[in-house]
Amino acid sequence: MEKLRWCLALASLLLLLSLPPRAAASLQERKNYIVHLRPRGDGGGGGSVEKWHRSFLPQSAAGLDSAADGAGDDGPRIIYSYTDAFTGFAARLTDEEADAVRATDGCARLYPEVFLPLATTRSPGFLGLHLGNEGFWSRSGFGRGVVIGILDTGILPSHPSFGDDGLQPPPKAWKGTCEFKAVAGAGGCNNKIIGARAFGSAAVNSTAPPVDDAGHGTHTASTAAGNFVENANVRGNADGTASGMAPHAHLAIYKVCTRSRCSIMDIIAGLDAAVRDGVDVLSFSIGAYSGTQFNYDPIAIAAFKAMERGIFVSCAAGNAGPDPGTVGNGAPWMLTVAAGTMDRAIRTNVRLGNGEVFHGESLFQPGNNSAADPLPLVYPGADGFDASRDCSVLRGSEVEGKVVLCESRGLNGRVEAGQTVAAYGGAGMIVMNRAAEGYTTFADAHVLPASHVSHDAGARIISYLNSTRNATASIDFRGTVIGSYPSPAVTFFSSRGPSKASPGILKPDITGPGMNILAAWAPSESHTEFSDGGADLSFFVESGTSMSTPHLSGIAALLKSLHPDWSPAAIKSAIMTTSDAVDRTGMPIKDEQYRHATFYAMGAGYANPALAFDPGLVYDLGADDYIPYLCGLGLGDDGVTEIAHRPVACGGVKAITEAELNYPSLVVNLLSQPITVNRTVTNVGKARSVYTAVVDVPKDVSVVVQPPMLRFSELKEKQSFTVTVRWAGEPNVAGAEGNLKWVSDDYIVRSPIVVPGKGD
């Protein structure tokens, strides 16, 4: 037998050696790569982009790819030729071919294909958009004329949230295309959805490629720009009129994700198409490279080009919190969005046998509550077995007919825990948070009477269980409750700063509603039961920075509609400097532990669009202004060139530190010596106005602003000032936080100041 195996192996080797080079190469495994190229030396005059890209392929591969049908024996070698947001292409290469491409003059870098995760009605009112005829909504025309590009899992075009009542035709400059097929019930493009495309694996095996079969893309698209839909609810909960932030904005859909993953090649292809098509805002609810140097981050590189074209890019901070240093999408030319709560809860109360009552949440709100009467309460995890603690493994005799206490499984898995409890005959379930999850609770679509409670409530329930042999509990369903406290707060899962790629820039930038958000939904395998009244009337509640991001994308669209001449940096500044650092009671915004939320958790604060449309002053930046900052990061000429899409020699540039970038927030790594940085503001408020600097910092920090007063005589006038930060006493190892406010009779323009501690 051993001799036979050797003979077969030898025969295979001889066969391979006897094949022509092209045939031998075809037997090697081909992998997908993004090929990042240096800018063309001929300025683009040396033939087509596609021809230029093919010139980097080894001769055999290039020959196959330039065949009449553009394909080799197992498909095209060049998958995408990027033309507008990225310098390079995506290709299928063997290891040997990849090495040859790397060695070719003009090739900057190869990125192997990676897959990124999705970052998964009350909010317009909570954000102050319902303010009568003089409110921000009506003044902005509800986002009329602005195009929001959504990179996600596609869209369900037949959903009423995407009707085009009251909408104008697409802008004349729009260049996008619509790939919807004439499929029964699929709908198509109109004056709301003005473009729809699918890329790569997201387009395979589908008769209508951009159609959403996961739900996520429909949810994010409707959150950003869904039209008004009355009587929206999920099984009677969160009832009201649903709409996106910019209900009269246009949508351009780029399906770059399947139900489970998003290929980086498809993401860059979608970004490239969006820039070429002419979107105004890009919304990106997809996980990111966390801590990756910007010139190694294709998304940051593509977003730089989008910003240079005047496109506002809104990205999810990620769902890796509450650990520090987990924030993604941290380039300063993108808005990085954290997730916060609102004042709405879908309430279920837990009542213990000793009379204690704890608030929780659940979408399961039955009219006939089988757990309303006291039932025996058990905690399978009392034996210390991990799988029992989160109800992964249960014994029927232990839980049958009882209310079962289960520990949370983190961001996901709570519904599955309930399914296990129900399968073993449990009558109800209480999900208790782990310590790190604090008070963040989810309104999940449970399959049995359930309540998700805080870690503090769970600890007290365990204490009660330990105090008696006859523990009981009941679950009381209260439906939708408005006015829950504290609100807003930062959720536990929202990723935290500092950014590892650029710790001297405060990230995330801003917090928006990202908890238990009701929006349009496409029927999917995971939530088929929530198609009440038919697929066209489906809504669902989801949580994540995926949900907070389109809120800010829609707000940016409103600002773009009001101020079409504002740069992406000016829009970002307006959002950040008018945000709220206090909750609805005037107390500092809290995190998931109900402690004072740091700027590394919430960014500048919680978005307040009702103020952002008229911020008074803005901190503006153009594409060229980022070059000294990038040189100061030490990326080298090649690294900065890769990001800027043009040759840059840092030796001829006066590099600046991160703190010196004209950003709306300030991070100062303070040692024993004082640090002075410059800032410039542009007057976009009232022509004749006077602003006075007001500094609010701890006593152990000294901040001096010069000049302390800014006088403006006209709109668009710029004024510069310096900020000097020093320790007033002994350095505080814990760091410090405060605010610089420019205050006039009509405006307060607030910028966070962060002095990192030794552990940050």
Side-chain angles (χ1 to χ4, degrees):
M1 180 64 70
E2 186 67 24
K3 184 176 180 180
L4 177 60
R5 279 198 294 266
W6 274 106
C7 289
L8 290 173
L10 179 60
S12 298
L13 178 60
L14 290 173
L15 174 63
L16 179 62
L17 293 174
S18 66
L19 291 172
R22 179 180 297 181
S26 69
L27 293 179
Q28 298 181 37
E29 180 184 3
R30 289 173 182 156
K31 303 171 186 175
N32 294 338
Y33 293 89
I34 291 178
V35 181
H36 191 185
L37 305 178
R38 296 188 180 93
R40 296 177 73 170
D42 60 9
S48 70
V49 172
E50 291 78 7
K51 182 178 179 180
W52 179 51
H53 290 168
R54 282 198 302 272
S55 71
F56 285 86
L57 295 179
Q59 186 174 1
S60 59
L64 286 171
D65 209 58
S66 60
D69 62 355
D73 52 2
D74 60 346
R77 304 302 296 280
I78 289 184
I79 304 169
Y80 299 114
S81 278
Y82 305 127
T83 59
D84 288 74
F86 197 85
T87 305
F89 59 95
R92 302 173 64 248
L93 304 169
T94 66
D95 291 343
E96 290 181 2
E97 291 168 346
D99 289 339
V101 173
R102 283 191 188 94
T104 304
D105 185 40
C107 178
R109 185 169 291 106
L110 264 67
Y111 301 96
E113 183 179 30
V114 296
F115 295 94
L116 300 177
L118 293 162
T120 190
T121 57
R122 168 67 180 157
S123 48
F126 186 70
L127 290 170
L129 295 177
H130 295 300
L131 295 177
N133 292 331
E134 297 304 316
F136 179 29
W137 244 357
S138 57
R139 290 188 61 176
S140 67
F142 304 95
R144 185 172 293 114
V146 177
V147 182
I148 303 176
I150 305 289
L151 276 74
D152 215 296
T153 63
I155 196 169
L156 182 66
S158 59
H159 197 286
S161 290
F162 308 120
D164 61 358
D165 288 349
L167 270 73
Q168 298 174 340
K172 291 182 179 179
W174 176 245
K175 300 175 183 177
T177 59
C178 182
E179 293 181 353
F180 284 125
K181 308 298 180 183
V183 178
C189 290
N190 54 17
N191 287 337
K192 166 58 74 174
I193 304 172
I194 62 172
R197 293 185 60 186
F199 297 87
S201 55
V204 174
N205 298 325
S206 176
T207 54
V211 172
D212 184 13
D213 58 358
H216 192 274
T218 298
H219 199 281
T220 57
S222 67
T223 300
N227 213 335
F228 297 98
V229 179
E230 295 181 354
N231 301 316
N233 64 80
V234 180
R235 294 276 176 93
N237 299 304
D239 184 58
T241 298
S243 75
M245 296 295 100
H248 285 179
H250 305 292
L251 283 168
I253 304 303
Y254 302 89
K255 184 175 181 178
V256 298
C257 301
T258 64
R259 295 174 185 172
S260 59
R261 61 184 189 175
C262 312
S263 166
I264 186 63
M265 295 193 316
D266 300 338
I267 292 169
I268 300 302
L271 278 164
D272 194 64
V275 173
R276 184 167 56 254
D277 291 345
V279 303
D280 299 297
V281 175
L282 266 173
S283 191
F284 186 82
S285 291
I286 300 172
Y289 295 83
S290 179
T292 302
Q293 198 168 285
F294 295 142
N295 58 313
Y296 288 85
D297 182 348
I299 294 170
I301 294 168
F304 187 94
K305 193 65 175 179
M307 172 275 300
E308 191 173 32
R309 295 279 190 92
I311 299 169
F312 186 92
V313 183
S314 175
C315 294
N319 298 334
D323 292 339
T326 52
V327 66
N329 292 315
W333 46 88
M334 303 188 292
L335 183 77
T336 309
V337 186
T341 66
M342 296 187 298
D343 64 345
R344 180 184 66 196
I346 303 177
R347 182 67 51 77
T348 52
N349 289 340
V350 173
R351 182 179 297 275
L352 302 181
N354 63 1
E356 287 189 279
V357 177
F358 302 101
H359 294 320
E361 294 198 70
S362 173
L363 270 181
F364 186 97
Q365 297 274 335
N368 181 16
N369 181 8
S370 59
D373 297 325
L375 295 171
L377 173 65
V378 294
Y379 178 38
D383 59 7
F385 183 45
D386 286 348
S388 295
R389 191 160 54 237
D390 66 10
C391 296
S392 296
V393 175
L394 297 172
R395 294 181 293 272
S397 59
E398 183 180 18
V399 303
E400 187 173 359
K402 301 173 183 177
V403 175
V404 183
L405 178 65
C406 306
E407 188 177 86
S408 167
R409 299 181 185 181
L411 193 57
N412 299 300
R414 294 172 302 277
V415 173
E416 289 78 4
Q419 290 170 340
T420 303
V421 170
Y424 281 92
M429 178 180 67
I430 302 169
V431 180
M432 60 169 282
N433 274 345
R434 296 176 294 182
E437 298 160 0
Y439 290 87
T440 300
T441 55
F442 293 82
D444 289 316
H446 290 293
V447 298
L448 79 171
S451 185
H452 184 188
V453 301
S454 68
H455 173 72
D456 177 66
R460 292 165 66 182
I461 292 170
I462 290 175
S463 177
Y464 163 69
L465 276 161
N466 292 334
S467 71
T468 178
R469 293 183 178 180
N470 299 303
T472 62
S474 61
I475 300 175
D476 184 26
F477 298 93
R478 296 289 181 173
T480 303
V481 175
I482 302 297
S484 62
Y485 171 85
S487 65
V490 180
T491 64
F492 82 83
F493 55 79
S494 189
S495 292
R496 276 22 178 207
S499 164
K500 293 179 180 177
S502 184
I505 299 293
L506 179 62
K507 289 288 179 171
D509 291 305
I510 198 74
T511 299
M515 194 71 203
N516 299 328
I517 303 301
L518 182 141
W521 191 256
S524 66
E525 290 182 353
S526 56
H527 298 301
T528 53
E529 73 276 21
F530 283 94
S531 298
D532 301 275
D536 287 354
L537 297 177
S538 177
F539 289 85
F540 198 63
V541 169
E542 284 282 272
S543 300
T545 53
S546 277
M547 284 64 243
S548 55
T549 299
H551 278 90
L552 271 298
S553 305
I555 291 169
L558 296 175
L559 289 169
K560 186 74 174 178
S561 181
L562 268 173
H563 305 287
D565 59 330
W566 279 12
S567 69
I571 293 173
K572 177 194 287 189
S573 176
I575 290 171
M576 292 174 63
T577 61
T578 59
S579 62
D580 293 328
V582 297
D583 64 21
R584 292 300 190 260
T585 67
M587 298 297 292
I589 289 176
K590 296 177 174 59
D591 64 12
E592 76 287 343
Q593 303 295 341
Y594 286 176
R595 297 183 299 234
H596 187 164
T598 68
F599 289 131
Y600 283 133
M602 66 177 180
Y606 200 93
N608 187 340
L611 296 179
F613 80 97
D614 187 18
L617 305 174
V618 294
Y619 295 81
D620 206 357
L621 285 164
D624 290 343
D625 297 316
Y626 291 100
I627 303 302
Y629 154 79
L630 291 170
C631 288
L633 285 180
L635 305 181
D637 293 355
D638 288 344
V640 179
T641 294
E642 292 165 19
I643 296 168
H645 300 260
R646 60 184 185 272
V648 175
C650 285
V653 174
K654 185 180 179 182
I656 62 173
T657 65
E658 296 161 281
E660 292 175 295
L661 185 67
N662 198 42
Y663 213 66
S665 54
L666 178 61
V667 178
V668 181
N669 281 292
L670 196 59
L671 301 175
S672 57
Q673 299 297 319
I675 293 177
T676 298
V677 298
N678 297 290
R679 286 290 189 273
T680 299
V681 288
T682 304
N683 182 22
V684 296
K686 295 189 174 179
R688 301 186 63 84
S689 51
V690 178
Y691 289 83
T692 302
V694 177
V695 176
D696 174 21
V697 293
K699 293 181 179 179
D700 51 3
V701 178
S702 169
V703 176
V704 177
V705 181
Q706 290 292 342
M709 186 175 291
L710 301 177
R711 297 180 181 274
F712 295 90
S713 58
E714 59 185 2
L715 290 176
K716 298 186 179 180
E717 181 182 351
K718 296 180 182 295
Q719 294 272 5
S720 297
F721 59 93
T722 63
V723 182
T724 301
V725 185
R726 60 165 58 87
W727 290 115
E730 289 296 318
N732 187 340
V733 296
E737 292 188 348
N739 293 284
L740 164 63
K741 301 174 184 176
W742 285 106
V743 180
S744 74
D745 291 340
D746 302 289
Y747 303 101
I748 298 176
V749 185
R750 182 181 61 85
S751 292
I753 299 174
V754 177
V755 181
K758 286 189 175 181
D760 293 331

